[in-house]
Amino acid sequence: MLIIPAIDLKDGQCVRLKQGLMDEATIFSSSPSEQAAHWLEQGARRLHVVDLNGAFAGKPKNASAIKSIVAALGDEIPIQLGGGIRDLDTIELCLDNGVSYVIIGTAAVKNPGFLHDACSAFPGQIIVGLDAKEGKVAVDGWSKLTGHDVIDLAKKCEDYGVEGIIYTDIGRDGMLSGINIEATVKLAQALRVPVIASGGLSGMDDIRALCAVEHEGIFATIAGRAIYDGSLDFAAAQAEADRATQR
């Protein structure tokens, strides 16, 4: 089980939101590059970066901060980036600038033809982020709930050739209320591609619970607020996950 630290960018700073609300942002660092270097030092094996301004604007808005993160990490660990990525030119630019995986969210729902083209043009580098509440997918920075069933949509994404699915329970994100294990397992069981759990990771109990169902196809989990406010020690959590995998 891979634990992936998250860096959410708003106005060039590292923040965390509660349930995706931009006016509920807590600033954790004014230096994205230093924050990225910190997680690398703590033993992170992948980094999850989200351009929050980009997610709401529909196009990247934190390019300089993202470049500083790439520069800080070099080729040490892969970066997966999401937020406002809605055309092939933007994907190509992100990958050319050193990002390893591009996360497509809203555009995967609204423009499946684009997702199909992206998977064809950049095989192995496209991840879809599905944000859901009570089984229905949300778009546009979680501001709109659609009628799409998350499992049905995930299966379509899988058919297009995505590398994996990030599943976020937006009712729990940033609330430290615990990962929605049941819904995440249900999704993973329906798919062949790996699932990354997200939303509400609160502590070591969540890590243990995820490790217990890793065999269902849950490849990793994204850690946000919990590793910033001290509820979860990242290095200890990854060590625990490694031990669980070896048992």
Side-chain angles (χ1 to χ4, degrees):
M1 176 69 60
L2 196 63
I3 302 169
I4 309 174
I7 292 182
D8 287 359
L9 299 170
K10 179 176 182 278
D11 304 331
Q13 297 177 309
C14 303
V15 305
R16 295 302 300 170
L17 306 184
K18 288 185 178 179
Q19 296 183 312
L21 300 173
M22 287 290 267
D23 57 359
E24 291 282 343
T26 302
I27 298 172
F28 284 100
S29 173
S30 59
S31 175
S33 60
E34 289 181 8
Q35 192 62 64
H38 168 74
W39 295 127
L40 179 62
E41 291 166 5
Q42 290 291 305
R45 298 170 200 161
R46 185 185 291 203
L47 193 66
H48 178 78
V49 179
V50 178
D51 182 343
L52 293 172
N53 301 103
F56 283 86
K59 58 183 178 181
K61 291 289 186 179
N62 283 282
S64 60
I66 293 164
K67 286 180 181 178
S68 75
I69 290 172
V70 172
L73 297 182
D75 295 325
E76 294 289 331
I77 60 173
I79 297 168
Q80 57 187 46
L81 171 68
I85 299 172
R86 299 183 189 173
D87 60 66
L88 295 178
D89 288 343
T90 300
I91 295 176
E92 186 171 23
L93 182 61
C94 291
L95 297 175
D96 286 347
N97 285 339
V99 170
S100 301
Y101 303 98
V102 166
I103 303 163
I104 299 176
T106 292
V109 182
K110 291 187 170 183
N111 189 356
F114 161 62
L115 177 62
H116 184 272
D117 291 344
C119 290
S120 297
F122 309 102
Q125 294 182 291
I126 304 299
I127 296 172
V128 163
L130 294 180
D131 308 320
K133 187 174 184 180
E134 297 175 359
K136 299 300 181 182
V137 176
V139 296
D140 295 332
W142 303 353
S143 62
K144 298 174 185 174
L145 204 60
T146 73
H148 292 287
D149 178 82
V150 67
I151 291 179
D152 289 345
L153 189 56
K155 285 182 176 180
K156 291 177 183 176
C157 294
E158 179 178 70
D159 289 341
Y160 289 146
V162 300
E163 181 68 10
I165 302 285
I166 297 173
Y167 173 68
T168 304
D169 184 328
I170 63 176
R172 301 189 183 211
D173 190 75
M175 303 302 289
L176 300 178
S177 55
I179 291 275
N180 190 334
I181 301 287
E182 183 181 357
T184 307
V185 167
K186 187 178 178 182
L187 177 63
Q189 288 174 334
L191 301 173
R192 298 181 305 276
V193 297
V195 171
I196 299 174
S198 175
L201 184 72
S202 60
M204 202 66 86
D205 285 346
D206 278 328
I207 300 299
R208 296 187 185 103
L210 283 167
C211 288
V213 295
E214 182 178 10
H215 64 280
E216 300 286 3
I218 301 170
F219 155 74
T221 184
I222 294 169
R225 184 174 289 272
I227 58 173
Y228 285 97
D229 73 2
S231 303
L232 181 68
D233 181 299
F234 170 78
Q238 185 61 72
E240 173 70 20
D242 290 343
R243 284 193 293 273
T245 303
Q246 293 166 3
R247 289 182 192 130

